[in-house]
């Protein structure tokens, strides 16, 4: 009898740790970001099969900045690439100005605001894995991006006039106290002139002015489409895409005539992406000489 008992004890000790130490259903949910456990003032809770956690802690763990609007009861999280807004009790959020539905709304518990962790994490591009036996959530941060840095030519918003002048390698064309314009570069096969704009010695905008060698207005339309595809490949779908006619009498839906309407000064095209607090706009409007001015502009919206 003693021999069998000893074998049973030995077998128990050899069982996998995941079986021998499964978490009890009432144990607090644990959260790990890149292998490091995240500690909360208020334990995570389950709601509609979604885990909600304290927003300040999880945003910090994901490398995001955050703020709280008491009047609007709204949480904001942001980094260079993501700007998200969530209101208490509402099942919709805004990610880079796009409305997104959530299964579970943010809520308040014990004076702390809790947000759905999977929604928040995946919005940043992170990978989320739930281990039901251990009652743990493992989050792997998204790889670092550099697309926005490329379009900003490695500058930062609020950089000084002198800092941009020192770091920019292109040949200077002209400048004054509010702007610096440089020699042309190639963007998607088109010639573009970058111009930096400053407000109170702080960089707030970067424009690319395109010189399209067009034989017809359809060549402009091709350029617009190519640049749209270039931006979409880097930043996804825009949140706004509008062909605006100044006079309702000129309105039409004939795609082949869009460029003619823009060149004639009857309409303008604006397509906009929101990337964190950076707004990127592709714009086309009449140059008042029968052609089309084409720009890509980056703005600091914070």
């Amino acid at each position: 009898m003693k021999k069998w008992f000893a074998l049973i004890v030995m077998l128990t000790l050899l069982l996998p740790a995941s079986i021998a130490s499964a978490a009890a259903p009432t144990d607090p949910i644990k959260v790990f970001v890149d292998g490091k456990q995240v500690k909360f003032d208020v334990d995570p809770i389950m709601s509609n099969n979604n885990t909600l956690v304290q927003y300040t802690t999880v945003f910090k763990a994901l490398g995001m900045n955050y703020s709280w609007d008491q009047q609007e009861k709204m949480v904001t999280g942001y980094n260079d690439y993501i700007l998200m807004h969530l209101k208490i009790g509402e099942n919709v959020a805004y990610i880079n100005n796009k409305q997104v539905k959530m299964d579970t709304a943010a809520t308040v518990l014990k004076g702390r605001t809790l947000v759905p962790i999977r929604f928040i994490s995946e919005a940043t591009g992170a990978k989320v894995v739930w281990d039901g036996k251990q009652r743990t959530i493992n989050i792997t941060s998204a790889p670092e991006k550099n697309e926005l840095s490329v379009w900003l030519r490695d500058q930062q918003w609020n950089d000084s006039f002198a800092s941009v002048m020192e770091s920019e390698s292109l040949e200077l064309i002209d400048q004054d106290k509010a702007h610096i314009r440089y020699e042309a570069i190639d963007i998607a096969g088109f010639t573009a002139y970058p111009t930096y704009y400053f407000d109170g010695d702080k960089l707030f905008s970067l424009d690319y002015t395109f010189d399209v060698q067009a034989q017809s207005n359809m060549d402009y339309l091709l350029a617009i489409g190519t640049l749209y595809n270039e931006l979409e490949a880097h930043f996804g779908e825009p949140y706004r895409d509008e062909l605006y006619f100044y006079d309702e009498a000129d309105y039409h839906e004939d795609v082949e005539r869009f460029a003619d309407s823009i060149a004639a000064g009857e309409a303008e095209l604006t397509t906009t992406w929101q990337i964190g607090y950076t707004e990127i706009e592709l714009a086309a409007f009449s140059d008042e000489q029968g052609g089309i001015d084409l720009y890509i502009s980056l703005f600091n919206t914070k």
Side-chain angles (χ1 to χ4, degrees), residues 18-19 21-25 130-136:
S18 61
I19 297 176
S21 59
W130 163 251
D131 185 337
K133 288 185 177 180
Q134 297 300 312
R135 290 177 63 78
T136 61

Side-chain angles (χ1 to χ4, degrees), residues 181-226:
R181 189 170 189 242
Y182 287 95
E183 66 178 356
I185 61 173
D186 180 89
I187 297 180
F190 298 99
T191 301
Y193 293 88
T195 304
Y196 298 92
Y197 291 93
F198 298 83
D199 182 14
D201 198 36
K202 291 183 178 180
L203 177 64
F204 78 92
S205 177
L206 170 57
D207 285 3
Y208 293 98
T209 306
F210 288 84
D211 182 8
V212 180
Q213 301 300 309
Q215 301 299 316
S216 69
N217 288 336
M218 285 301 295
D219 290 335
Y220 289 114
L221 199 61
L222 175 62
I224 293 168
T226 301

Side-chain angles (χ1 to χ4, degrees), residues 30-31 73 77 101 115 122 138 161 175 228 276 285 302:
K30 295 180 180 179
V31 176
K73 298 292 188 288
K101 188 175 181 179
V115 295
E122 291 183 345
N138 292 288
F161 193 99
Q175 69 178 88
Y228 177 98
F285 47 88
K302 186 176 181 182

Side-chain angles (χ1 to χ4, degrees), residues 13-195:
L13 293 174
L14 292 174
L15 285 173
S18 61
I19 297 176
S21 59
T26 56
D27 286 350
I29 296 170
K30 295 180 180 179
V31 176
F32 294 83
V33 175
D34 296 327
K36 184 178 180 180
Q37 185 172 357
V38 181
K39 299 290 187 179
F40 301 97
D41 295 337
V42 176
D43 287 338
I45 63 172
M46 293 290 291
S47 177
N48 296 332
N49 292 321
N50 288 278
T51 303
L52 282 77
V53 299
Q54 192 176 342
Y55 86 93
T56 53
T57 309
V58 73
F59 278 145
K60 185 176 180 180
L62 290 169
M64 299 186 68
N65 300 299
Y66 54 84
S67 63
W68 166 252
D69 187 325
Q70 178 63 29
Q71 183 175 353
E72 296 291 334
K73 298 292 188 288
M74 182 172 68
V75 171
T76 297
Y78 61 95
N79 59 23
D80 287 343
Y81 287 87
I82 297 292
L83 174 62
M84 65 175 73
H85 300 293
L86 301 87
K87 284 191 176 184
I88 300 299
E90 294 190 4
N91 284 76
V92 295
Y94 287 87
I95 307 295
N96 286 341
N97 269 342
K98 297 177 185 176
Q99 188 180 87
V100 184
K101 188 175 181 179
M102 300 188 297
D103 294 331
T104 304
T107 189
V108 176
L109 179 67
K110 298 179 181 178
R112 297 291 187 268
T113 300
L114 308 185
V115 295
I117 190 169
R118 180 178 290 277
F119 178 86
I120 297 297
S121 301
E122 291 183 345
T124 69
K127 181 180 179 181
V128 183
V129 177
W130 163 251
D131 185 337
K133 288 185 177 180
Q134 297 300 312
R135 290 177 63 78
T136 61
I137 295 173
N138 292 288
I139 300 172
T140 303
S141 297
E144 290 189 11
K145 299 180 179 180
N146 68 348
E147 292 95 336
L148 189 58
S149 296
V150 171
W151 283 90
L152 282 171
R153 300 189 53 76
D154 294 323
Q155 310 293 344
Q156 300 287 330
W157 294 130
N158 297 322
D159 279 355
S160 68
F161 193 99
S163 174
V164 173
M165 288 279 289
E166 182 179 354
S167 61
E168 181 57 79
S169 60
L170 296 174
E171 182 179 342
L172 179 68
I173 292 180
D174 65 69
Q175 69 178 88
D176 60 22
K177 292 182 179 180
H179 86 278
I180 318 172
R181 189 170 189 242
Y182 287 95
E183 66 178 356
I185 61 173
D186 180 89
I187 297 180
F190 298 99
T191 301
Y193 293 88
T195 304

